[in-house]
Amino acid sequence: MITTFAAALNAGLRRAMEDDPKVVLMGEDIGHLGGVFRVTDTLQKDFGDNRVVDTPLAESGIIGTAFGMALRGYRPVCEIQFDGFVYPAFDQIVSHVAKIHYRTQGKVIAPITIRIPFGGGIGSVEHHSESPEAYFAHTAGLRVVTPSNPADAYLMIRQAIALDDPVIFFEPKRRYWDKEDVDFAALDELPLIKARVCVPGTDATVVAYGGTVATALTSAKIAAEEGHSLEVIDLRSLSPIDFDTIEESVAKTGRLVVVHEAPVFAGLGAEIAARITERCFYHLEAPVLRVGGFDIPYPPAKLEKHHLPDPDRILAAVDRSLAA
């Protein structure tokens, strides 16, 4: 069946709600409207307004309420309307949701899934194109994941909701309308924390996640036309990170380029570069390189194409690596 990324998320949420009556959706405009990106379209009509709850415009209140519900046995799924709106809820997430399991010596769980559309590429205004994943990946007690395609969107949202750990679920908003032929009944049940090798290659490894995976795949196609073989890895999980899959790839290719939309400084690419340098020191033929956003507040929409990694910037990094 041909489905969009957003429709696949909708199908995954629907399946999770059918499987467990304790799954409750919460967020601004997710009910009658179906969400800004229509990810929750028709779910309130089918499950009722006691399970698909339109909340006030108060992110701290959404997460605080969800935290209380989780302590009482529910599995809340919260939608933060845009990435830049999550900060009012930051204290609730990092001070309470992330720590309750450790604080209670494992006696209390907080099975909350927090959906956050993230990243740029849709020509939006300030606070609507952020990439705050490093804040949450740095926070012990949270799992942080991001699908890059419709099949993973369907599978990973269900896996996230079923976990007893709190999950930050980043959705690359510029991919909501990407289409793919998906057979929901026959998906490869890849574990939530496992990276995927999308394209095998021999000359260099390119690691990406979320919205940049499609960009990396385009880069691999262009590189192939130029005679270079790139192995593209979709990270999928940002915390924990599947370093074993990256290490296995880099041991073969000897080169690594990490791509993400967030600023390069102190981004996820820095952690990957440090770990792989430690683990693959004698395999590396060149320094690990990073391609990402610039160290600036996200630019106005007319300039975002210069800020976001594109195939030219990725291939320029590959060329630098191959020339080393």
Side-chain angles (χ1 to χ4, degrees), residues 178-190:
D178 286 4
K179 293 182 179 179
E180 184 178 276
D181 189 2
V182 181
D183 182 355
F184 292 137
L187 289 179
D188 176 21
E189 289 280 337
L190 195 66

Side-chain angles (χ1 to χ4, degrees), residues 221-237:
K221 290 180 181 178
I222 297 171
E225 295 171 358
E226 298 174 349
H228 298 306
S229 174
L230 303 185
E231 181 149 298
V232 177
I233 295 177
D234 179 357
L235 203 57
R236 300 176 78 246
S237 175

Side-chain angles (χ1 to χ4, degrees), residues 22-299:
K22 293 292 187 180
V23 174
V24 177
L25 310 189
M26 306 168 59
E28 300 159 13
D29 299 319
I30 70 166
H32 180 72
L33 180 65
V36 170
F37 297 102
R38 304 299 186 267
V39 170
T40 54
D41 194 33
T42 74
L43 294 181
Q44 189 180 73
K45 177 176 69 69
D46 294 340
F47 291 94
D49 58 10
N50 62 330
R51 292 193 65 194
V52 182
V53 183
D54 279 314
T55 67
L57 198 160
E59 287 76 17
S60 180
I62 294 170
I63 301 303
T65 301
F67 184 53
M69 293 177 67
L71 299 184
R72 300 297 294 174
Y74 288 90
R75 291 185 177 271
V77 182
C78 304
E79 177 180 300
I80 303 297
Q81 204 166 73
F82 282 91
D83 35 43
F85 300 169
V86 72
Y87 303 117
F90 193 77
D91 179 52
Q92 293 280 8
I93 295 170
V94 304
S95 298
H96 302 289
V97 173
K99 292 180 171 58
I100 190 66
H101 190 70
Y102 184 82
R103 185 185 296 144
T104 61
Q105 298 182 332
K107 295 184 177 70
V108 178
I109 60 174
I112 303 171
T113 301
I114 302 172
R115 296 179 41 242
I116 307 176
F118 86 124
I122 65 169
S124 197
V125 297
E126 188 179 24
H127 305 308
H128 291 68
S129 301
E130 307 292 317
S131 295
E133 61 268 24
Y135 294 130
F136 299 103
H138 184 72
T139 303
L142 298 176
R143 294 188 187 228
V144 185
V145 302
T146 176
S148 68
N149 57 75
D152 266 351
Y154 174 80
L155 176 65
M156 292 171 68
I157 191 65
R158 292 178 56 209
Q159 292 173 321
I161 294 170
L163 280 176
D164 287 340
D165 296 325
V167 179
I168 306 296
F169 194 91
F170 282 111
E171 301 167 7
K173 65 174 78 74
R174 62 171 159 152
R175 304 299 175 198
Y176 274 137
W177 302 278
D178 286 4
K179 293 182 179 179
E180 184 178 276
D181 189 2
V182 181
D183 182 355
F184 292 137
L187 289 179
D188 176 21
E189 289 280 337
L190 195 66
L192 185 63
I193 64 172
K194 185 73 174 173
R196 174 182 281 112
V197 177
C198 302
V199 175
T202 56
D203 293 337
T205 301
V206 178
V207 169
Y209 57 84
T212 59
V213 173
T215 311
L217 291 171
T218 299
S219 302
K221 290 180 181 178
I222 297 171
E225 295 171 358
E226 298 174 349
H228 298 306
S229 174
L230 303 185
E231 181 149 298
V232 177
I233 295 177
D234 179 357
L235 203 57
R236 300 176 78 246
S237 175
L238 311 185
S239 181
I241 291 174
D242 178 11
F243 288 109
D244 290 342
T245 295
I246 305 173
E247 179 180 357
E248 182 179 351
S249 177
V250 173
K252 176 178 61 175
T253 67
R255 292 173 168 84
L256 175 61
V257 175
V258 186
V259 184
H260 52 64
E261 290 187 27
V264 168
F265 181 78
L268 266 290
E271 177 64 26
I272 295 169
R275 292 290 186 101
I276 294 303
T277 298
E278 290 177 4
R279 295 174 64 158
C280 298
F281 186 78
Y282 294 105
H283 294 290
L284 285 167
E285 301 290 340
V288 178
L289 300 178
R290 293 169 288 159
V291 179
F294 301 108
D295 192 22
I296 59 173
Y298 196 86

